[in-house]
PDB file of all heavy atoms in Angstrom:
ATOM      1  N   PRO A   1    -190.127-105.333 -68.512  1.00 93.00           N
ATOM      2  CA  PRO A   1    -188.742-105.626 -69.225  1.00 93.00           C
ATOM      3  C   PRO A   1    -188.409-104.502 -70.082  1.00 93.00           C
ATOM      4  O   PRO A   1    -189.150-103.660 -70.494  1.00 93.00           O
ATOM      5  CB  PRO A   1    -188.960-106.947 -69.905  1.00 93.00           C
ATOM      6  CG  PRO A   1    -190.341-106.915 -70.322  1.00 93.00           C
ATOM      7  CD  PRO A   1    -191.141-106.057 -69.211  1.00 93.00           C
ATOM      8  N   ASN A   2    -187.084-104.488 -70.432  1.00 94.00           N
ATOM      9  CA  ASN A   2    -186.591-103.538 -71.484  1.00 94.00           C
ATOM     10  C   ASN A   2    -187.166-104.079 -72.898  1.00 94.00           C
ATOM     11  O   ASN A   2    -187.463-105.404 -72.959  1.00 94.00           O
ATOM     12  CB  ASN A   2    -185.194-103.253 -71.474  1.00 94.00           C
ATOM     13  CG  ASN A   2    -184.299-104.486 -71.656  1.00 94.00           C
ATOM     14  OD1 ASN A   2    -184.401-105.259 -72.570  1.00 94.00           O
ATOM     15  ND2 ASN A   2    -183.383-104.714 -70.823  1.00 94.00           N
ATOM     16  N   TYR A   3    -186.937-103.324 -73.860  1.00 95.00           N
ATOM     17  CA  TYR A   3    -187.456-103.913 -75.317  1.00 95.00           C
ATOM     18  C   TYR A   3    -186.743-105.143 -75.765  1.00 95.00           C
ATOM     19  O   TYR A   3    -187.343-105.976 -76.323  1.00 95.00           O
ATOM     20  CB  TYR A   3    -187.387-102.781 -76.367  1.00 95.00           C
ATOM     21  CG  TYR A   3    -188.108-103.086 -77.569  1.00 95.00           C
ATOM     22  CD1 TYR A   3    -189.460-102.874 -77.712  1.00 95.00           C
ATOM     23  CD2 TYR A   3    -187.528-103.654 -78.702  1.00 95.00           C
ATOM     24  CE1 TYR A   3    -190.303-103.162 -78.852  1.00 95.00           C
ATOM     25  CE2 TYR A   3    -188.160-103.870 -79.775  1.00 95.00           C
ATOM     26  CZ  TYR A   3    -189.537-103.735 -79.808  1.00 95.00           C
ATOM     27  OH  TYR A   3    -190.195-104.020 -80.973  1.00 95.00           O
ATOM     28  N   SER A   4    -185.448-105.154 -75.520  1.00 93.00           N
ATOM     29  CA  SER A   4    -184.623-106.256 -75.981  1.00 93.00           C
ATOM     30  C   SER A   4    -185.036-107.513 -75.264  1.00 93.00           C
ATOM     31  O   SER A   4    -184.909-108.723 -75.843  1.00 93.00           O
ATOM     32  CB  SER A   4    -183.203-106.065 -75.630  1.00 93.00           C
ATOM     33  OG  SER A   4    -182.771-104.837 -76.316  1.00 93.00           O
ATOM     34  N   ASP A   5    -185.577-107.391 -73.939  1.00 94.00           N
ATOM     35  CA  ASP A   5    -186.045-108.662 -73.305  1.00 94.00           C
ATOM     36  C   ASP A   5    -187.544-108.805 -73.344  1.00 94.00           C
ATOM     37  O   ASP A   5    -188.102-109.484 -72.363  1.00 94.00           O
ATOM     38  CB  ASP A   5    -185.605-108.481 -71.847  1.00 94.00           C
ATOM     39  CG  ASP A   5    -184.022-108.593 -71.702  1.00 94.00           C
ATOM     40  OD1 ASP A   5    -183.437-109.154 -72.593  1.00 94.00           O
ATOM     41  OD2 ASP A   5    -183.558-108.064 -70.625  1.00 94.00           O
ATOM     42  N   PHE A   6    -188.194-108.286 -74.380  1.00 94.00           N
ATOM     43  CA  PHE A   6    -189.642-108.270 -74.336  1.00 94.00           C
ATOM     44  C   PHE A   6    -190.055-109.758 -74.343  1.00 94.00           C
ATOM     45  O   PHE A   6    -191.202-110.095 -73.649  1.00 94.00           O
ATOM     46  CB  PHE A   6    -190.253-107.604 -75.663  1.00 94.00           C
ATOM     47  CG  PHE A   6    -191.697-107.157 -75.543  1.00 94.00           C
ATOM     48  CD1 PHE A   6    -192.023-105.847 -75.097  1.00 94.00           C
ATOM     49  CD2 PHE A   6    -192.599-108.096 -75.887  1.00 94.00           C
ATOM     50  CE1 PHE A   6    -193.322-105.618 -75.011  1.00 94.00           C
ATOM     51  CE2 PHE A   6    -193.982-107.792 -75.826  1.00 94.00           C
ATOM     52  CZ  PHE A   6    -194.360-106.461 -75.414  1.00 94.00           C
ATOM     53  N   SER A   7    -189.614-110.610 -75.113  1.00 93.00           N
ATOM     54  CA  SER A   7    -189.903-112.041 -75.211  1.00 93.00           C
ATOM     55  C   SER A   7    -188.833-112.914 -74.712  1.00 93.00           C
ATOM     56  O   SER A   7    -188.578-113.973 -75.377  1.00 93.00           O
ATOM     57  CB  SER A   7    -190.352-112.558 -76.623  1.00 93.00           C
ATOM     58  OG  SER A   7    -191.492-111.669 -76.988  1.00 93.00           O
ATOM     59  N   LYS A   8    -188.101-112.564 -73.601  1.00 94.00           N
ATOM     60  CA  LYS A   8    -186.982-113.167 -73.160  1.00 94.00           C
ATOM     61  C   LYS A   8    -187.149-114.636 -72.738  1.00 94.00           C
ATOM     62  O   LYS A   8    -186.339-115.492 -73.030  1.00 94.00           O
ATOM     63  CB  LYS A   8    -186.272-112.456 -71.983  1.00 94.00           C
ATOM     64  CG  LYS A   8    -185.018-112.988 -71.504  1.00 94.00           C
ATOM     65  CD  LYS A   8    -184.281-112.120 -70.376  1.00 94.00           C
ATOM     66  CE  LYS A   8    -182.976-112.634 -70.077  1.00 94.00           C
ATOM     67  NZ  LYS A   8    -182.816-114.086 -69.721  1.00 94.00           N
ATOM     68  N   ASP A   9    -188.338-114.910 -72.026  1.00 95.00           N
ATOM     69  CA  ASP A   9    -188.558-116.310 -71.615  1.00 95.00           C
ATOM     70  C   ASP A   9    -188.559-117.187 -72.817  1.00 95.00           C
ATOM     71  O   ASP A   9    -188.095-118.316 -72.816  1.00 95.00           O
ATOM     72  CB  ASP A   9    -189.898-116.399 -70.922  1.00 95.00           C
ATOM     73  CG  ASP A   9    -189.774-115.806 -69.499  1.00 95.00           C
ATOM     74  OD1 ASP A   9    -188.719-115.552 -68.986  1.00 95.00           O
ATOM     75  OD2 ASP A   9    -190.934-115.264 -69.057  1.00 95.00           O
ATOM     76  N   LEU A  10    -189.360-116.736 -73.897  1.00 95.00           N
ATOM     77  CA  LEU A  10    -189.396-117.694 -75.099  1.00 95.00           C
ATOM     78  C   LEU A  10    -188.108-117.777 -75.818  1.00 95.00           C
ATOM     79  O   LEU A  10    -187.765-118.730 -76.348  1.00 95.00           O
ATOM     80  CB  LEU A  10    -190.550-117.103 -76.002  1.00 95.00           C
ATOM     81  CG  LEU A  10    -190.746-117.970 -77.402  1.00 95.00           C
ATOM     82  CD1 LEU A  10    -191.129-119.377 -77.074  1.00 95.00           C
ATOM     83  CD2 LEU A  10    -191.870-117.293 -78.132  1.00 95.00           C
ATOM     84  N   ASN A  11    -187.377-116.634 -75.980  1.00 95.00           N
ATOM     85  CA  ASN A  11    -186.159-116.676 -76.695  1.00 95.00           C
ATOM     86  C   ASN A  11    -185.087-117.539 -76.031  1.00 95.00           C
ATOM     87  O   ASN A  11    -184.272-118.283 -76.791  1.00 95.00           O
ATOM     88  CB  ASN A  11    -185.633-115.188 -76.699  1.00 95.00           C
ATOM     89  CG  ASN A  11    -186.380-114.310 -77.719  1.00 95.00           C
ATOM     90  OD1 ASN A  11    -187.072-114.761 -78.650  1.00 95.00           O
ATOM     91  ND2 ASN A  11    -186.403-112.972 -77.501  1.00 95.00           N
ATOM     92  N   ASP A  12    -185.065-117.469 -74.745  1.00 95.00           N
ATOM     93  CA  ASP A  12    -184.149-118.274 -74.013  1.00 95.00           C
ATOM     94  C   ASP A  12    -184.534-119.832 -74.144  1.00 95.00           C
ATOM     95  O   ASP A  12    -183.636-120.597 -74.430  1.00 95.00           O
ATOM     96  CB  ASP A  12    -184.145-118.048 -72.437  1.00 95.00           C
ATOM     97  CG  ASP A  12    -183.524-116.803 -72.214  1.00 95.00           C
ATOM     98  OD1 ASP A  12    -182.738-116.055 -73.015  1.00 95.00           O
ATOM     99  OD2 ASP A  12    -183.567-116.183 -70.997  1.00 95.00           O
ATOM    100  N   LEU A  13    -185.834-120.121 -74.155  1.00 96.00           N
ATOM    101  CA  LEU A  13    -186.267-121.445 -74.374  1.00 96.00           C
ATOM    102  C   LEU A  13    -185.785-122.067 -75.683  1.00 96.00           C
ATOM    103  O   LEU A  13    -185.323-123.195 -75.817  1.00 96.00           O
ATOM    104  CB  LEU A  13    -187.660-121.511 -74.212  1.00 96.00           C
ATOM    105  CG  LEU A  13    -188.295-122.991 -74.420  1.00 96.00           C
ATOM    106  CD1 LEU A  13    -187.918-123.890 -73.268  1.00 96.00           C
ATOM    107  CD2 LEU A  13    -189.829-122.913 -74.396  1.00 96.00           C
ATOM    108  N   LEU A  14    -185.961-121.191 -76.807  1.00 96.00           N
ATOM    109  CA  LEU A  14    -185.665-121.687 -78.153  1.00 96.00           C
ATOM    110  C   LEU A  14    -184.218-121.490 -78.690  1.00 96.00           C
ATOM    111  O   LEU A  14    -183.808-122.184 -79.631  1.00 96.00           O
ATOM    112  CB  LEU A  14    -186.594-120.975 -79.047  1.00 96.00           C
ATOM    113  CG  LEU A  14    -188.135-121.404 -78.908  1.00 96.00           C
ATOM    114  CD1 LEU A  14    -188.976-120.545 -79.892  1.00 96.00           C
ATOM    115  CD2 LEU A  14    -188.417-122.778 -78.988  1.00 96.00           C
ATOM    116  N   THR A  15    -183.492-120.685 -77.904  1.00 94.00           N
ATOM    117  CA  THR A  15    -182.071-120.508 -78.393  1.00 94.00           C
ATOM    118  C   THR A  15    -180.939-120.655 -77.400  1.00 94.00           C
ATOM    119  O   THR A  15    -179.845-121.039 -77.767  1.00 94.00           O
ATOM    120  CB  THR A  15    -181.911-119.000 -78.872  1.00 94.00           C
ATOM    121  OG1 THR A  15    -182.183-118.194 -77.624  1.00 94.00           O
ATOM    122  CG2 THR A  15    -182.886-118.601 -79.932  1.00 94.00           C
ATOM    123  N   LYS A  16    -181.194-120.553 -76.133  1.00 93.00           N
ATOM    124  CA  LYS A  16    -180.151-120.907 -75.130  1.00 93.00           C
ATOM    125  C   LYS A  16    -179.943-122.385 -74.807  1.00 93.00           C
ATOM    126  O   LYS A  16    -180.756-123.049 -74.844  1.00 93.00           O
ATOM    127  CB  LYS A  16    -180.601-119.950 -73.843  1.00 93.00           C
ATOM    128  CG  LYS A  16    -179.378-119.832 -72.811  1.00 93.00           C
ATOM    129  CD  LYS A  16    -179.867-118.862 -71.685  1.00 93.00           C
ATOM    130  CE  LYS A  16    -178.773-118.738 -70.746  1.00 93.00           C
ATOM    131  NZ  LYS A  16    -179.309-117.931 -69.584  1.00 93.00           N
ATOM    132  N   ASP A  17    -178.745-122.533 -74.431  1.00 93.00           N
ATOM    133  CA  ASP A  17    -178.283-123.924 -74.155  1.00 93.00           C
ATOM    134  C   ASP A  17    -178.400-124.936 -75.350  1.00 93.00           C
ATOM    135  O   ASP A  17    -178.566-125.993 -75.103  1.00 93.00           O
ATOM    136  CB  ASP A  17    -179.030-124.428 -72.928  1.00 93.00           C
ATOM    137  CG  ASP A  17    -178.845-123.513 -71.774  1.00 93.00           C
ATOM    138  OD1 ASP A  17    -177.770-123.358 -71.297  1.00 93.00           O
ATOM    139  OD2 ASP A  17    -180.037-123.085 -71.223  1.00 93.00           O
ATOM    140  N   PHE A  18    -178.193-124.455 -76.576  1.00 93.00           N
ATOM    141  CA  PHE A  18    -178.117-125.209 -77.754  1.00 93.00           C
ATOM    142  C   PHE A  18    -176.796-125.016 -78.404  1.00 93.00           C
ATOM    143  O   PHE A  18    -176.724-124.320 -79.492  1.00 93.00           O
ATOM    144  CB  PHE A  18    -179.254-124.998 -78.658  1.00 93.00           C
ATOM    145  CG  PHE A  18    -180.563-125.547 -78.271  1.00 93.00           C
ATOM    146  CD1 PHE A  18    -181.603-124.657 -77.710  1.00 93.00           C
ATOM    147  CD2 PHE A  18    -180.881-126.857 -78.449  1.00 93.00           C
ATOM    148  CE1 PHE A  18    -182.782-125.118 -77.339  1.00 93.00           C
ATOM    149  CE2 PHE A  18    -182.154-127.354 -78.082  1.00 93.00           C
ATOM    150  CZ  PHE A  18    -183.132-126.518 -77.482  1.00 93.00           C
ATOM    151  N   PRO A  19    -175.590-125.370 -77.889  1.00 91.00           N
ATOM    152  CA  PRO A  19    -174.454-125.118 -78.581  1.00 91.00           C
ATOM    153  C   PRO A  19    -174.291-125.836 -79.856  1.00 91.00           C
ATOM    154  O   PRO A  19    -174.281-127.092 -79.926  1.00 91.00           O
ATOM    155  CB  PRO A  19    -173.384-125.657 -77.609  1.00 91.00           C
ATOM    156  CG  PRO A  19    -174.064-126.658 -76.679  1.00 91.00           C
ATOM    157  CD  PRO A  19    -175.431-126.159 -76.639  1.00 91.00           C
ATOM    158  N   LEU A  20    -174.200-125.210 -80.987  1.00 87.00           N
ATOM    159  CA  LEU A  20    -174.301-125.820 -82.223  1.00 87.00           C
ATOM    160  C   LEU A  20    -173.054-125.350 -83.259  1.00 87.00           C
ATOM    161  O   LEU A  20    -172.763-124.122 -83.271  1.00 87.00           O
ATOM    162  CB  LEU A  20    -175.542-125.415 -83.100  1.00 87.00           C
ATOM    163  CG  LEU A  20    -176.878-125.859 -82.288  1.00 87.00           C
ATOM    164  CD1 LEU A  20    -177.995-125.284 -83.103  1.00 87.00           C
ATOM    165  CD2 LEU A  20    -176.853-127.229 -82.042  1.00 87.00           C
ATOM    166  N   GLY A  21    -172.360-126.286 -83.691  1.00 85.00           N
ATOM    167  CA  GLY A  21    -171.316-125.970 -84.698  1.00 85.00           C
ATOM    168  C   GLY A  21    -170.066-125.391 -84.097  1.00 85.00           C
ATOM    169  O   GLY A  21    -169.213-124.895 -84.789  1.00 85.00           O
ATOM    170  N   ASN A  22    -169.884-125.587 -82.772  1.00 89.00           N
ATOM    171  CA  ASN A  22    -168.658-124.991 -82.169  1.00 89.00           C
ATOM    172  C   ASN A  22    -168.463-125.601 -80.798  1.00 89.00           C
ATOM    173  O   ASN A  22    -169.317-126.212 -80.196  1.00 89.00           O
ATOM    174  CB  ASN A  22    -168.826-123.418 -82.081  1.00 89.00           C
ATOM    175  CG  ASN A  22    -169.819-122.982 -81.218  1.00 89.00           C
ATOM    176  OD1 ASN A  22    -169.950-123.197 -80.061  1.00 89.00           O
ATOM    177  ND2 ASN A  22    -170.652-122.051 -81.852  1.00 89.00           N
ATOM    178  N   ALA A  23    -167.255-125.390 -80.342  1.00 92.00           N
ATOM    179  CA  ALA A  23    -166.869-125.717 -79.005  1.00 92.00           C
ATOM    180  C   ALA A  23    -166.433-124.643 -78.186  1.00 92.00           C
ATOM    181  O   ALA A  23    -165.644-123.751 -78.682  1.00 92.00           O
ATOM    182  CB  ALA A  23    -165.743-126.858 -78.879  1.00 92.00           C
ATOM    183  N   LYS A  24    -167.125-124.338 -77.023  1.00 94.00           N
ATOM    184  CA  LYS A  24    -166.914-123.137 -76.270  1.00 94.00           C
ATOM    185  C   LYS A  24    -166.304-123.387 -74.861  1.00 94.00           C
ATOM    186  O   LYS A  24    -166.884-124.404 -74.312  1.00 94.00           O
ATOM    187  CB  LYS A  24    -168.129-122.304 -76.278  1.00 94.00           C
ATOM    188  CG  LYS A  24    -167.929-121.076 -75.463  1.00 94.00           C
ATOM    189  CD  LYS A  24    -169.267-120.317 -75.259  1.00 94.00           C
ATOM    190  CE  LYS A  24    -169.194-119.087 -74.330  1.00 94.00           C
ATOM    191  NZ  LYS A  24    -170.478-118.298 -74.283  1.00 94.00           N
ATOM    192  N   LEU A  25    -165.391-122.689 -74.409  1.00 94.00           N
ATOM    193  CA  LEU A  25    -164.864-122.764 -73.240  1.00 94.00           C
ATOM    194  C   LEU A  25    -164.856-121.329 -72.418  1.00 94.00           C
ATOM    195  O   LEU A  25    -164.497-120.397 -72.991  1.00 94.00           O
ATOM    196  CB  LEU A  25    -163.393-123.172 -73.105  1.00 94.00           C
ATOM    197  CG  LEU A  25    -162.552-123.269 -71.698  1.00 94.00           C
ATOM    198  CD1 LEU A  25    -163.285-124.153 -70.771  1.00 94.00           C
ATOM    199  CD2 LEU A  25    -161.249-123.555 -71.889  1.00 94.00           C
ATOM    200  N   GLU A  26    -165.625-121.335 -71.320  1.00 95.00           N
ATOM    201  CA  GLU A  26    -165.821-120.011 -70.513  1.00 95.00           C
ATOM    202  C   GLU A  26    -165.279-120.235 -69.202  1.00 95.00           C
ATOM    203  O   GLU A  26    -165.686-121.150 -68.520  1.00 95.00           O
ATOM    204  CB  GLU A  26    -167.280-119.739 -70.581  1.00 95.00           C
ATOM    205  CG  GLU A  26    -167.604-118.399 -69.893  1.00 95.00           C
ATOM    206  CD  GLU A  26    -169.000-117.971 -69.838  1.00 95.00           C
ATOM    207  OE1 GLU A  26    -169.615-118.286 -70.785  1.00 95.00           O
ATOM    208  OE2 GLU A  26    -169.591-117.430 -68.806  1.00 95.00           O
ATOM    209  N   ILE A  27    -164.485-119.241 -68.717  1.00 95.00           N
ATOM    210  CA  ILE A  27    -163.857-119.238 -67.340  1.00 95.00           C
ATOM    211  C   ILE A  27    -164.205-118.005 -66.676  1.00 95.00           C
ATOM    212  O   ILE A  27    -163.907-116.989 -67.233  1.00 95.00           O
ATOM    213  CB  ILE A  27    -162.463-119.613 -67.419  1.00 95.00           C
ATOM    214  CG1 ILE A  27    -162.016-120.799 -68.160  1.00 95.00           C
ATOM    215  CG2 ILE A  27    -161.750-119.674 -66.087  1.00 95.00           C
ATOM    216  CD1 ILE A  27    -160.572-121.112 -68.305  1.00 95.00           C
ATOM    217  N   ASN A  28    -164.849-118.092 -65.524  1.00 94.00           N
ATOM    218  CA  ASN A  28    -165.194-116.877 -64.772  1.00 94.00           C
ATOM    219  C   ASN A  28    -164.510-116.857 -63.439  1.00 94.00           C
ATOM    220  O   ASN A  28    -164.461-117.980 -62.724  1.00 94.00           O
ATOM    221  CB  ASN A  28    -166.761-116.828 -64.536  1.00 94.00           C
ATOM    222  CG  ASN A  28    -167.426-116.710 -65.826  1.00 94.00           C
ATOM    223  OD1 ASN A  28    -167.315-115.775 -66.546  1.00 94.00           O
ATOM    224  ND2 ASN A  28    -168.307-117.658 -66.107  1.00 94.00           N
ATOM    225  N   GLN A  29    -163.719-115.850 -63.068  1.00 92.00           N
ATOM    226  CA  GLN A  29    -162.995-115.727 -61.781  1.00 92.00           C
ATOM    227  C   GLN A  29    -163.527-114.375 -61.098  1.00 92.00           C
ATOM    228  O   GLN A  29    -163.676-113.373 -61.907  1.00 92.00           O
ATOM    229  CB  GLN A  29    -161.622-115.656 -62.019  1.00 92.00           C
ATOM    230  CG  GLN A  29    -160.992-116.949 -62.475  1.00 92.00           C
ATOM    231  CD  GLN A  29    -160.927-118.162 -61.441  1.00 92.00           C
ATOM    232  OE1 GLN A  29    -160.780-117.787 -60.291  1.00 92.00           O
ATOM    233  NE2 GLN A  29    -160.890-119.283 -61.739  1.00 92.00           N
ATOM    234  N   SER A  30    -163.850-114.524 -59.807  1.00 90.00           N
ATOM    235  CA  SER A  30    -164.183-113.318 -59.054  1.00 90.00           C
ATOM    236  C   SER A  30    -163.405-113.089 -57.940  1.00 90.00           C
ATOM    237  O   SER A  30    -162.838-114.079 -57.233  1.00 90.00           O
ATOM    238  CB  SER A  30    -165.621-113.493 -58.524  1.00 90.00           C
ATOM    239  OG  SER A  30    -166.505-113.532 -59.697  1.00 90.00           O
ATOM    240  N   THR A  31    -163.148-111.842 -57.539  1.00 87.00           N
ATOM    241  CA  THR A  31    -162.144-111.540 -56.516  1.00 87.00           C
ATOM    242  C   THR A  31    -162.961-110.824 -55.351  1.00 87.00           C
ATOM    243  O   THR A  31    -164.224-110.415 -55.539  1.00 87.00           O
ATOM    244  CB  THR A  31    -161.032-110.469 -56.993  1.00 87.00           C
ATOM    245  OG1 THR A  31    -161.735-109.203 -57.373  1.00 87.00           O
ATOM    246  CG2 THR A  31    -160.292-110.967 -58.143  1.00 87.00           C
ATOM    247  N   SER A  32    -162.418-110.684 -54.191  1.00 83.00           N
ATOM    248  CA  SER A  32    -163.096-110.232 -53.018  1.00 83.00           C
ATOM    249  C   SER A  32    -163.431-108.788 -53.045  1.00 83.00           C
ATOM    250  O   SER A  32    -164.321-108.113 -52.435  1.00 83.00           O
ATOM    251  CB  SER A  32    -162.314-110.451 -51.813  1.00 83.00           C
ATOM    252  OG  SER A  32    -161.133-109.855 -51.858  1.00 83.00           O
ATOM    253  N   ASN A  33    -162.671-107.889 -53.916  1.00 83.00           N
ATOM    254  CA  ASN A  33    -162.832-106.521 -54.016  1.00 83.00           C
ATOM    255  C   ASN A  33    -163.856-106.164 -55.222  1.00 83.00           C
ATOM    256  O   ASN A  33    -163.883-104.995 -55.616  1.00 83.00           O
ATOM    257  CB  ASN A  33    -161.572-105.774 -54.200  1.00 83.00           C
ATOM    258  CG  ASN A  33    -160.834-106.227 -55.378  1.00 83.00           C
ATOM    259  OD1 ASN A  33    -161.073-107.250 -56.065  1.00 83.00           O
ATOM    260  ND2 ASN A  33    -159.705-105.455 -55.720  1.00 83.00           N
ATOM    261  N   GLY A  34    -164.639-107.080 -55.774  1.00 81.00           N
ATOM    262  CA  GLY A  34    -165.662-106.858 -56.757  1.00 81.00           C
ATOM    263  C   GLY A  34    -165.296-106.848 -58.173  1.00 81.00           C
ATOM    264  O   GLY A  34    -165.944-106.406 -59.027  1.00 81.00           O
ATOM    265  N   ILE A  35    -164.158-107.401 -58.511  1.00 92.00           N
ATOM    266  CA  ILE A  35    -163.623-107.562 -59.807  1.00 92.00           C
ATOM    267  C   ILE A  35    -164.016-109.034 -60.377  1.00 92.00           C
ATOM    268  O   ILE A  35    -163.720-110.035 -59.772  1.00 92.00           O
ATOM    269  CB  ILE A  35    -162.158-107.343 -60.052  1.00 92.00           C
ATOM    270  CG1 ILE A  35    -161.786-105.920 -59.593  1.00 92.00           C
ATOM    271  CG2 ILE A  35    -161.678-107.586 -61.416  1.00 92.00           C
ATOM    272  CD1 ILE A  35    -160.380-105.592 -59.667  1.00 92.00           C
ATOM    273  N   LYS A  36    -164.601-108.993 -61.574  1.00 94.00           N
ATOM    274  CA  LYS A  36    -164.861-110.345 -62.232  1.00 94.00           C
ATOM    275  C   LYS A  36    -164.116-110.355 -63.583  1.00 94.00           C
ATOM    276  O   LYS A  36    -164.267-109.548 -64.284  1.00 94.00           O
ATOM    277  CB  LYS A  36    -166.345-110.564 -62.452  1.00 94.00           C
ATOM    278  CG  LYS A  36    -166.838-111.866 -63.098  1.00 94.00           C
ATOM    279  CD  LYS A  36    -168.276-111.999 -63.275  1.00 94.00           C
ATOM    280  CE  LYS A  36    -168.596-113.315 -64.012  1.00 94.00           C
ATOM    281  NZ  LYS A  36    -169.997-113.473 -64.062  1.00 94.00           N
ATOM    282  N   VAL A  37    -163.436-111.521 -63.747  1.00 95.00           N
ATOM    283  CA  VAL A  37    -162.683-111.774 -64.984  1.00 95.00           C
ATOM    284  C   VAL A  37    -163.395-113.015 -65.732  1.00 95.00           C
ATOM    285  O   VAL A  37    -163.536-113.948 -65.142  1.00 95.00           O
ATOM    286  CB  VAL A  37    -161.177-111.993 -64.670  1.00 95.00           C
ATOM    287  CG1 VAL A  37    -160.456-112.218 -65.917  1.00 95.00           C
ATOM    288  CG2 VAL A  37    -160.648-110.814 -63.877  1.00 95.00           C
ATOM    289  N   THR A  38    -163.591-112.712 -66.982  1.00 95.00           N
ATOM    290  CA  THR A  38    -164.187-113.744 -67.921  1.00 95.00           C
ATOM    291  C   THR A  38    -163.277-113.969 -69.139  1.00 95.00           C
ATOM    292  O   THR A  38    -163.053-112.954 -69.800  1.00 95.00           O
ATOM    293  CB  THR A  38    -165.640-113.369 -68.302  1.00 95.00           C
ATOM    294  OG1 THR A  38    -166.391-113.112 -67.067  1.00 95.00           O
ATOM    295  CG2 THR A  38    -166.239-114.459 -69.108  1.00 95.00           C
ATOM    296  N   VAL A  39    -163.021-115.161 -69.390  1.00 95.00           N
ATOM    297  CA  VAL A  39    -162.372-115.625 -70.553  1.00 95.00           C
ATOM    298  C   VAL A  39    -163.125-116.498 -71.424  1.00 95.00           C
ATOM    299  O   VAL A  39    -163.690-117.522 -70.968  1.00 95.00           O
ATOM    300  CB  VAL A  39    -160.822-116.264 -70.214  1.00 95.00           C
ATOM    301  CG1 VAL A  39    -160.225-116.582 -71.569  1.00 95.00           C
ATOM    302  CG2 VAL A  39    -160.062-115.270 -69.306  1.00 95.00           C
TER     303      VAL A  39
END
């Protein structure tokens, strides 16, 4: 892995998928010519 992802498995386990103190809306759209739009 790169240095930022050295302990990615553990970091994801302890920090990811714990939305705290906020409400988030994420919208992802992809086109056939390789463009992805994220809001």
Side-chain angles (χ1 to χ4, degrees):
N2 63 49
Y3 190 85
S4 301
D5 291 338
F6 198 93
S7 297
K8 187 178 187 303
D9 291 339
L10 180 60
N11 291 336
D12 285 351
L13 178 68
L14 296 178
T15 61
K16 197 174 180 181
D17 303 305
F18 287 103
L20 302 176
N22 58 60
K24 178 181 178 181
L25 173 63
E26 179 181 326
I27 302 174
N28 298 298
Q29 294 284 331
S30 299
T31 64
S32 59
N33 60 348
I35 297 177
K36 181 179 180 180
V37 180
T38 301
V39 179

